[in-house]
Amino acid sequence: MQPNLFHDFEPKLVEEIEKSGTLKKLEVGEELMRPGMFIRSIPIILSGSLKIMRQDEKGNETFLYFLQKGDTCAMSLTCCSASKPSNVRAVAEEPTEMLLVPVDKLDVWMSLYPSWKTFVFQAYQRRFEDMLEAVDSLAFRKMDERLWRLLRKKAGLQEKRYVYATHQDLSAELNTSREVVTRLLKKLEGLGKIKTHRNRIELMLK
DNA sequence: ACATTAAGTGATT
DNA sequence: AATCACTTAATGT
């Protein structure tokens, strides 16, 4: 085992992990867990990476985050202790090795080893940060809709009108960059929804 | 004609 | 989607 990975664990804890953990290897694309599955052990990634995704009813998947060397699955931690099924899907992004630790050890180690508590805490913190990023990009991918709404709002929701504003102005209102607005406007123009002029946008409300 | 500002583009992360 | 670097087009003086 790689001692460097567990350098801030108490020797005693490392010993326990080695004793109770089982090694598991996944090839690219192999699934570790899917929504609905119950988990009876939590993984600690030794090498490679796992892609964690959320799945909606129709099977559309949205990326949540990657688990890499030294990471553990925050979902597993909560699912395990609450005996709830998984609500995410985990697939190997590359050949991945991990250590599977039985659930029942968690609580014991939690109270026994401060470093384990820290490890778990940090796992949550990192996951949370990654999730925020995912949320951000999701929220921002609605930019085309936000722009279209803004234009209609500025046009006063009336028949064919002009909006007097530069791309810069619009981008400032939407908290995005001028280039993005330019490109989205061009897209809208291609769809025949608007016509662009200098300092002015013409809404084509048929 | 020249300078300034708005708009368009491509590449990169 | 954001940033950067750069080009091109429109406008004002």
Side-chain angles (χ1 to χ4, degrees):
Chain A
M1 170 168 319
Q2 303 87 329
N4 50 318
L5 235 179
F6 302 111
H7 69 278
D8 39 22
F9 283 166
E10 292 89 343
K12 193 93 191 304
L13 175 56
V14 176
E15 210 178 294
E16 287 231 41
I17 293 176
E18 285 177 336
K19 199 176 70 184
S20 54
T22 59
L23 189 63
K24 171 141 185 159
K25 294 183 186 181
L26 287 182
E27 291 309 312
V28 178
E30 268 195 272
E31 200 173 55
L32 177 66
M33 67 173 84
R34 62 188 333 145
M37 269 180 68
F38 283 85
I39 306 122
R40 23 174 301 286
S41 57
I42 67 139
I44 300 174
I45 314 299
L46 299 178
S47 68
S49 56
L50 289 180
K51 190 183 196 174
I52 311 299
M53 290 161 294
R54 176 102 239 228
Q55 230 169 16
D56 72 3
E57 318 76 48
K58 285 170 244 158
N60 298 324
E61 291 187 325
T62 61
F63 166 83
L64 290 184
Y65 51 75
F66 282 115
L67 290 180
Q68 286 170 314
K69 188 207 296 193
D71 287 336
T72 190
C73 183
M75 290 299 172
S76 305
L77 294 170
T78 44
C79 287
C80 283
S81 42
S83 308
K84 289 250 172 83
S86 164
N87 42 29
V88 298
R89 195 165 98 93
V91 170
E93 181 76 1
E94 45 188 318
T96 304
E97 289 183 316
M98 72 204 69
L99 213 51
L100 293 180
V101 178
V103 197
D104 44 314
K105 299 288 176 192
L106 298 187
D107 285 337
V108 187
W109 293 351
M110 204 67 153
S111 49
L112 223 53
Y113 305 106
S115 67
W116 178 253
K117 211 190 288 181
T118 308
F119 177 64
V120 170
F121 181 76
Q122 281 178 346
Y124 272 111
Q125 192 168 9
R126 276 204 54 187
R127 245 21 77 211
F128 193 72
E129 278 168 9
D130 289 349
M131 293 266 265
L132 283 183
E133 263 183 66
V135 169
D136 276 354
S137 60
L138 269 155
F140 274 65
R141 250 150 230 164
K142 293 181 303 183
M143 194 53 84
D144 50 348
E145 281 168 19
R146 294 216 282 145
L147 177 58
W148 178 235
R149 276 191 192 182
L150 179 64
L151 288 176
R152 298 194 59 150
K153 189 179 157 198
K154 281 186 171 287
L157 255 64
Q158 276 149 43
E159 294 296 304
K160 186 173 187 235
R161 268 207 103 187
Y162 291 116
V163 172
Y164 291 90
T166 66
H167 299 183
Q168 193 100 243
D169 298 333
L170 297 172
S171 68
E173 284 205 50
L174 295 170
N175 296 309
T176 183
S177 61
R178 200 240 340 138
E179 292 94 321
V180 169
V181 168
T182 297
R183 280 164 181 144
L184 290 176
L185 284 175
K186 232 192 138 189
K187 209 163 84 183
L188 287 174
E189 192 165 27
L191 293 171
K193 292 191 169 192
I194 62 167
K195 271 192 152 193
T196 59
H197 311 272
R198 188 177 231 244
N199 291 321
R200 170 172 51 105
I201 292 152
E202 187 180 354
L203 291 248
M204 311 295 283
L205 305 179
K206 298 157 211 166

